Amino acid sequence: MRRLLVLLLLALPSLVYAGANEDFQAGVRLYDQGDFAGSADKLQSVIDQGYASAPLYYNTACAYYKAGHLGKAIANFRRAEKMTPDDEDIRTNLAFVKQFCVDKVDASQTDPFLTQVKNLLATLHPNQYFLISFIACALLFVFLALKRTGVIARFGNSPVFVLAAITIISATAMMWVLRANYLVDEGVIVVEQTEILSGPGSDFELQFEGHEGLPFEVLDQKQDYYLGLFANKLKGWVKISAVEKI
Amino acid sequence: MTMRKSVVLAVVMSFVLGLCSALLAETTVNAKVDRTEISEGESVQFTIEIKGDASSLPALNLGQLPDWQVYSSGTSSNFSWINGRTEQSKQYNFILSPTRTGRLNIPAFRLTIDGKSYDTPQLSVMVNPVAMPQSRNVPPTSGRQRAQTSQQQQLSRDDLLLRCTVNRDTVYVNQQVTLSMKFYYRVRLLANPEPRIPQRTGFWAEDLGQWRSDQETLNGRDYNMAELRTALFPTAPGTQTIGSAEMNVVVDDGSSNDPFSFFNQGFPGYGGGRRLTLKSDPVKITTLPLPEAGKPGDFGGAVGQYQMTALVDKNKIEVNEPLTLHIKISGTGNIKSVGIPKVPDLPDFRTYQAGDDEKVEKVNYQVGGTKTFDQVFIPKRAGSYLLPSLRFSFFDPQARMYKTVTSEQIQVDVAPSKDRYASQVQNVQTNRIDLTAKDIRYLKTSLGELRSRRSAPISASPWFLIVMYMLPVLGYVAVLTRQRHKERLLSDVGFRRLRQARKLADSRLAKAKSLLDAADADSFYSEINRSLIDYFADRYNLPGFGLTADKIREYAVGKQSDVLVGQLLDLLQQCDFGRFAPGGSEKTQMTHLWESAKRLIVELEKTR
């Protein structure tokens, strides 16, 4: 009896995976048949069961895009990108889909250098940045210790500066990616058009109109509204029902 | 001003400004009529205006109103879109035709916009019977005419006639029928006639100009004639009756031979003349319903002959740049009743109705004109699009059939917005993203590694980061401490002796133990003595050679407890006694000494 229980426990993850994978493949088949809405529903059902993987989010995003749901497509591409930021398919499709958004950030307000740096930083996962910074940090102190004990006294201080710089830069990059992807809540407007208000209620003044696919940083929540910080540096309250959190 | 005061002031100012803005942005609903007093047979334009966001409003239908016949005359919108902010107003226009005279009410209507209810005010319009003095419209009789008629003193029945005729007595709904009211007279009129226009309930009326005067022969007799024509459009099928027209006239009956009678001319009721009221016969009109057979789906009730054109103000635009489609419908018929053709939903565009304009023309007593609708399209995406052709259907009463006119398809090229494109070019250069692709890339075929939906990377855990980053630091500190210890051992003799005192003492005690086991008493006592003396010397960095009991006592004053020093000296004395006293020693005595020495070193070690 105990053996059977152990076997069941061991087999459970593969059974769960098999069920999710079956729905995943069914979603792909529906996509191939041109039933994009059906494909999106099927793939979304896997997500709704609590599962997540970059390909799952990626395929769901593709199906939503084809079914005409730009906002949901962008939300799922962003989820996939968070999991595997170096996946070129995800980045290409996200950039492609974003061009159909109504709202856009004025390019003149974006620092090109900063944009390049951000794009560069976004190519690695925070764990990868951590690994780099940790190894550099460990090597730095090993080097200092060896130098202190006189084992490698003939080396200068250049390696110290190099390793310290690598540690600090990679740790900063890790913190930036973490903040951008995990420590800050992000939302995407998933309805065609919604009002961005000056307060959490329909009685407040209209700041501007937000359209499907517009991302923002969620700063607060009150009643049925999120307080968002938008790319144009404006803050405004948007109805929760019009938003999907990433 | 302190920082705290500044913050409080900023909060208060923000609240006040926010409140003002919220009040200014409130949706307002109003209703108005173009006139509050009309004559029977006339119509009023009733307008409901919504300022604010009226984008979510459904089509407005007034339904049946008591005392009024309702005709929708379309909607018009105004919007501005500045910096992403939209301001809109929308007007719903209706033509209300009264079904009776008197003070008629237009009830209040309740509109629900975004869950909030708004009431329009109740309005009232005074509908007067058609008794309005319109003498200025009837051309006065000329002097020549007066000369001709002044000789006739006896009035006959045929000298004054009032007739109402229509150009056709059977028409279709909304087809024009022209009502002609003619006033014939062959006597001298002492005052301008006062016409009373016939009741025209059930018709949409359009004046066809002013009174015109002429001379006409009727039944072989010459008359002066004044005519007023009106275009009528029946609003419902059935038999309608145009009521009797009336005309109040004052004619010269010969009593005005007073040489001073010219003072009274033009002042009826004063002096001579005879007041008469003429009345025409009612006219019956048979209105046919529009045939159901062949009625197009997009037919909106237009009757007449029309053409349609649709033009755009530009063919090449950018994403988010508005494009205006001018839809122009022109022809003959009741142009005011022409509605906008259905504009198909275009998923790649947002559409707004930007307003309409109408120009009514009356050529040869035929009503017609031009109606223009402006539809704004704002493209959402770049690409090449075909605005589909529009259809407009009407009933041609002459051909007795429905006809449909269509506009040409219009090619529109939408380029990506320059601002946006610039930022994307940036991305392209940076990340080599292929934005020239026509579609998204294909799906992934493998589900990949499943994770919990909310799982964050381990690097997001602060404790993990703290522990991991502290490891190299702690390692380095450990190495550093050990290195310093080693360096001090090498450089500081007293420190080295202190650190090694216990170790050496233990080593000697171990050796003494082996001597005890071997029953070598002399060597045993020497080793115990040596271990105690050397321990004390190492402990206080003293030379071990020549360290006597007196020197120990002298040196230990204030540095070590008297009890322990006493024990030390006692043990040293026992060692001396054992070494130099004859007769040997008991093993139990030696064992006791060894244990006491070991215990004493432990106790002394505690006082470090």
Side-chain angles (χ1 to χ4, degrees), chain B residues 167-186:
Chain B
N167 62 337
R168 52 177 73 92
D169 57 6
T170 301
V171 292
Y172 285 99
V173 170
N174 208 16
Q175 181 186 0
Q176 178 177 337
V177 52
T178 305
L179 171 69
S180 171
M181 185 168 74
K182 286 184 174 178
F183 170 48
Y184 298 91
Y185 60 97
R186 18 191 342 268

Side-chain angles (χ1 to χ4, degrees), chain A residues 82-85 123-130 177 182, chain B residues 451 457:
Chain A
K82 280 184 177 183
M83 289 187 157
T84 51
T123 52
L124 287 185
H125 194 276
N127 285 353
Q128 293 170 313
Y129 279 119
F130 165 74
V177 176
Y182 298 98
Chain B
R451 300 181 199 171

Side-chain angles (χ1 to χ4, degrees), chain A:
Chain A
M1 183 64 186
R2 186 180 293 173
R3 279 185 183 174
L4 188 64
L5 203 62
V6 169
L7 280 174
L8 272 175
L9 284 173
L10 289 174
L12 196 60
S14 16
L15 289 173
V16 165
Y17 187 89
N21 191 46
E22 195 176 317
D23 286 342
F24 177 83
Q25 298 301 342
V28 174
R29 280 195 297 277
L30 287 169
Y31 187 95
D32 287 338
Q33 292 161 12
D35 182 3
F36 302 118
S39 173
D41 287 345
K42 182 58 87 178
L43 294 167
Q44 182 66 51
S45 71
V46 182
I47 296 171
D48 291 342
Q49 289 169 40
Y51 303 124
S53 75
L56 176 60
Y57 283 135
Y58 172 86
N59 285 8
T60 309
C62 292
Y64 271 129
Y65 167 72
K66 287 285 193 179
H69 301 292
L70 194 60
K72 291 191 172 189
I74 288 175
N76 283 286
F77 275 133
R78 281 289 295 127
R79 290 177 183 128
E81 190 184 33
K82 280 184 177 183
M83 289 187 157
T84 51
D86 53 344
D87 187 309
E88 200 189 335
D89 288 339
I90 296 171
R91 302 183 67 202
T92 304
N93 277 6
L94 179 58
F96 181 84
V97 169
K98 273 185 175 176
Q99 69 180 323
F100 300 112
C101 292
V102 174
D103 299 310
K104 57 189 183 297
V105 182
D106 186 357
S108 62
Q109 294 178 5
T110 311
D111 184 350
F113 175 74
L114 203 62
T115 307
Q116 287 195 20
V117 170
K118 282 180 178 176
N119 288 331
L120 189 68
L121 291 179
T123 52
L124 287 185
H125 194 276
N127 285 353
Q128 293 170 313
Y129 279 119
F130 165 74
L131 203 61
I132 293 170
S133 70
F134 178 74
I135 289 171
C137 180
L139 287 176
L140 170 67
F141 283 105
V142 167
F143 181 83
L144 287 174
L146 292 175
K147 199 169 162 56
R148 181 70 180 79
T149 52
V151 178
I152 51 170
R154 61 195 174 88
F155 282 94
N157 285 327
S158 303
V160 175
F161 295 128
V162 171
L163 289 169
I166 292 173
T167 303
I168 292 169
I169 291 171
S170 51
T172 307
M174 177 191 70
M175 294 309 292
W176 183 85
V177 176
L178 277 174
R179 186 187 176 282
N181 290 344
Y182 298 98
L183 304 181
V184 173
D185 281 336
E186 192 183 340
V188 173
I189 292 176
V190 293
V191 297
E192 188 174 355
Q193 182 173 316
T194 190
E195 293 176 334
I196 314 298
L197 304 168
S198 62
S202 57
D203 295 339
F204 285 90
E205 185 190 4
L206 177 71
Q207 305 267 73
F208 56 93
E209 296 279 3
H211 300 87
E212 196 171 14
L214 178 65
F216 61 91
E217 186 180 320
V218 179
L219 302 177
D220 197 3
Q221 178 182 346
K222 275 185 186 170
Q223 298 156 26
D224 297 332
Y225 288 83
Y226 285 135
L227 173 62
L229 174 64
F230 294 83
N232 54 6
K233 308 297 178 196
L234 286 179
K235 290 180 184 176
W237 294 84
V238 56
K239 264 189 176 175
I240 289 175
S241 58
V243 171
E244 206 164 273
K245 241 180 166 181
I246 293 172

Side-chain angles (χ1 to χ4, degrees), chain B residues 342-355:
Chain B
K342 179 169 174 53
V343 179
D345 289 334
L346 301 174
D348 296 316
F349 291 85
R350 283 177 290 131
T351 56
Y352 299 92
Q353 191 184 333

